[in-house]
Amino acid sequence: MSTTITVEGMTCGHCEQTVEAALAGVAGVTGATADRDANEASVDGDADVDALVQAVTEAGYTAHA
């Protein structure tokens, strides 16, 4: 299953890496890709959407499903 969430505040490649690492730490995530140009992150796996949003928020970015 793939989920896409909106992520605001990414301005560089390091931001993308930070968001990807935060998402990868969520239970059920098998892969994550952040795209600062699209303000999105795509997540593979069966993780809870609220947990994904919380992980990105805790990493310092604004996120919503």
Side-chain angles (χ1 to χ4, degrees), residues 6-28:
T6 301
V7 180
E8 298 171 2
M10 295 185 292
T11 59
C12 64
H14 184 263
C15 294
E16 290 175 332
Q17 292 173 347
T18 301
V19 169
E20 290 169 358
L23 293 169
V26 176

Side-chain angles (χ1 to χ4, degrees), residues 39-64:
N39 291 325
E40 292 181 344
S42 297
V43 182
D44 294 324
D46 61 358
D48 179 69
V49 174
D50 291 334
L52 298 174
V53 170
Q54 181 178 349
V56 173
T57 301
E58 290 176 358
Y61 301 89
T62 301
H64 50 88

